[in-house]
Amino acid sequence: MKKYSICIFLCGMLLAGCNSEKELSQIKIPEEKIAKFQMGSIGSKPEEYKHLSDLIEDMEEAVPEKDQKKAPHRGEDYYPVSFIYEDEIKDIFYFFPEGEKWYLETENGDVYGNADFILDYVDIDFNVDVKREIRIDKDVLKRSLEIGKDFKTYDTNFFFANGVVNRMEITGDTEEDAISKERKSSIDSRKVYEYAKKFGYEVSEKEVEERIKKILEDFNEQEDYPEYEAICKEYGTTMEECLEKSRDYIKEEMTKNKLSLETYKDFQNGKDKIKDKTYETPYEYSRAILDEVVYTEISDEDIASYIQELDEAEAYYLENF
């Protein structure tokens, strides 16, 4: 009898273990307590979004996936929707596709199906092959090609001279002001680049190669491409050669853009506060990241060698232009 009781007890424990995974309840969003609502990076007050109640109703009807262990989870492609309540607590939900179906995932990783309703509220396409239309003022291009005609690689001397000359032409700045502004812009830009490298955002040479190839492909498909190529020919070069000369610059810009994109994603994902101050738009947040984080993390001493390059570039400009 005693052995029989033990068997019943063990069977009960095993059965309990098989059902120990929590059963998810439906999502509940207290609409009356919402102080701010954000879709992607666009924030608004709840009364400003007329479809808010419908969206909440659809979200609360989302079906929990029965087997959470086998349920799909969001990867790199997802669309966040955030609810910020009066007490500053946030609920963030991540919508993502898997095959032909859409799911939503909570911050703690719970997954709900039947979430394709999100497409009734916003257009989402993660598979868009973006073609970048290249628009370069032809006079700017001519000035740049004239300045760079003797450079095998576009280096700091080239970019500083090019920046000063075009700044004066476009804005009407005096030479003194143009030099001062170009120095500040160059120093700020280099600090962002060094910060991005320090924290792991530097792109590879392969990525740079792929970007150059993509730029050329897109450029070749533009109707006005022959006009740009004709201008390059006047200066004994080609667009492809110009891009090759700009390889280091392209790498720097790609690295900074990677950091910028990550900052944008952070804002989408609910990170809107820096040093106890909350920012309302991705632009304000990105600007604060630069002022409060990047420019304090990277000092002039950290880029001393680059500042010396700028001194030499300024001397080169004054001597040759």
Side-chain angles (χ1 to χ4, degrees), residues 161-180:
N162 188 57
V164 171
V165 169
N166 279 303
R167 191 182 291 272
M168 287 190 295
E169 288 289 339
I170 294 169
T171 67
D173 282 346
T174 64
E175 184 176 59
E176 183 179 358
D177 285 344
I179 289 174
S180 176

Side-chain angles (χ1 to χ4, degrees), residues 148-206:
K149 62 185 179 182
D150 295 324
F151 285 86
K152 292 184 178 179
T153 300
Y154 292 155
D155 58 10
T156 304
N157 283 358
F158 165 77
F159 282 109
F160 187 82
N162 188 57
V164 171
V165 169
N166 279 303
R167 191 182 291 272
M168 287 190 295
E169 288 289 339
I170 294 169
T171 67
D173 282 346
T174 64
E175 184 176 59
E176 183 179 358
D177 285 344
I179 289 174
S180 176
K181 290 177 181 178
E182 192 62 29
R183 281 189 67 94
K184 183 180 186 312
S185 174
S186 298
I187 288 171
D188 287 348
S189 180
R190 180 49 63 104
K191 286 182 177 180
V192 176
Y193 182 44
E194 292 301 324
Y195 179 91
K197 289 197 297 181
K198 182 176 180 178
F199 289 93
Y201 296 100
E202 185 174 17
V203 299
S204 67
E205 293 300 328
K206 181 181 179 181

Side-chain angles (χ1 to χ4, degrees), residues 61-105:
E61 291 178 356
V63 180
E65 289 293 292
K66 290 182 179 180
D67 191 338
Q68 288 291 307
K69 291 180 180 178
K70 293 183 179 180
H73 291 271
R74 65 187 167 104
E76 293 184 2
D77 294 332
Y78 60 85
Y79 187 83
V81 173
S82 305
F83 301 94
I84 300 93
Y85 303 107
E86 295 167 352
D87 53 7
E88 294 192 353
I89 291 176
K90 296 178 182 178
D91 276 337
I92 306 176
F93 302 90
Y94 306 95
F95 290 84
F96 65 94
E98 182 71 21
E100 298 296 319
K101 297 180 179 179
W102 278 79
Y103 299 84
L104 73 82
E105 185 174 340

Side-chain angles (χ1 to χ4, degrees), residues 27-38 46 52 56 59-60 81-93 107 272:
I27 293 169
K28 295 296 180 185
I29 301 169
E31 184 174 354
E32 70 282 358
K33 295 182 180 180
I34 297 173
K36 183 182 174 183
F37 166 66
Q38 184 171 312
L52 182 59
I56 290 174
M59 291 179 68
E60 291 182 338
V81 173
S82 305
F83 301 94
I84 300 93
Y85 303 107
E86 295 167 352
D87 53 7
E88 294 192 353
I89 291 176
K90 296 178 182 178
D91 276 337
I92 306 176
F93 302 90
E107 290 178 273
D272 56 5

Side-chain angles (χ1 to χ4, degrees), residues 185-199 201-202 252-253 255-260 263 286-287 289-291 293-295 298-299 303:
S185 174
S186 298
I187 288 171
D188 287 348
S189 180
R190 180 49 63 104
K191 286 182 177 180
V192 176
Y193 182 44
E194 292 301 324
Y195 179 91
K197 289 197 297 181
K198 182 176 180 178
F199 289 93
Y201 296 100
E202 185 174 17
E252 180 175 334
E253 289 301 301
T255 298
K256 291 189 298 181
N257 288 341
K258 192 173 180 180
L259 170 63
S260 179
T263 301
S286 297
R287 185 70 250 177
I289 286 287
L290 293 177
D291 293 337
V293 180
V294 175
Y295 297 149
I298 306 296
S299 66
I303 58 168

Side-chain angles (χ1 to χ4, degrees), residues 122-288:
V122 61
D123 292 326
I124 306 172
D125 189 350
F126 300 117
N127 299 311
V128 176
D129 182 18
V130 178
K131 289 188 177 181
R132 296 174 175 84
E133 188 171 5
I134 301 170
R135 287 294 170 195
I136 306 171
D137 183 278
K138 293 180 177 63
D139 289 331
V140 171
L141 177 60
K142 289 176 182 178
R143 285 193 293 269
S144 298
L145 291 174
E146 176 64 32
I147 292 169
K149 62 185 179 182
D150 295 324
F151 285 86
K152 292 184 178 179
T153 300
Y154 292 155
D155 58 10
T156 304
N157 283 358
F158 165 77
F159 282 109
F160 187 82
N162 188 57
V164 171
V165 169
N166 279 303
R167 191 182 291 272
M168 287 190 295
E169 288 289 339
I170 294 169
T171 67
D173 282 346
T174 64
E175 184 176 59
E176 183 179 358
D177 285 344
I179 289 174
S180 176
K181 290 177 181 178
E182 192 62 29
R183 281 189 67 94
K184 183 180 186 312
S185 174
S186 298
I187 288 171
D188 287 348
S189 180
R190 180 49 63 104
K191 286 182 177 180
V192 176
Y193 182 44
E194 292 301 324
Y195 179 91
K197 289 197 297 181
K198 182 176 180 178
F199 289 93
Y201 296 100
E202 185 174 17
V203 299
S204 67
E205 293 300 328
K206 181 181 179 181
E207 289 175 290
V208 175
E209 187 66 39
E210 289 172 351
R211 176 60 60 84
I212 290 175
K213 182 179 178 182
K214 183 69 166 64
I215 292 172
L216 284 171
E217 287 175 355
D218 291 348
F219 207 8
N220 269 285
E221 292 180 10
Q222 290 183 198
E223 289 185 8
D224 55 357
Y225 173 75
E227 297 176 38
Y228 288 103
E229 197 61 43
I231 293 172
C232 289
K233 190 174 181 180
E234 287 179 32
Y235 291 87
T237 188
T238 63
M239 288 303 301
E240 183 174 2
E241 187 177 356
C242 289
L243 287 171
E244 284 297 331
K245 286 183 176 182
S246 304
R247 183 175 286 271
D248 289 344
Y249 170 77
I250 291 170
K251 182 174 185 177
E252 180 175 334
E253 289 301 301
M254 288 177 66
T255 298
K256 291 189 298 181
N257 288 341
K258 192 173 180 180
L259 170 63
S260 179
L261 179 59
E262 192 65 27
T263 301
Y264 181 81
K265 285 184 176 180
D266 283 346
F267 185 83
Q268 278 192 317
N269 292 332
K271 292 184 181 179
D272 56 5
K273 187 176 289 187
I274 302 172
K275 295 182 179 179
D276 295 326
K277 182 175 180 180
T278 300
Y279 296 89
E280 297 296 324
T281 67
Y283 172 78
E284 292 173 353
Y285 179 75
S286 297
R287 185 70 250 177

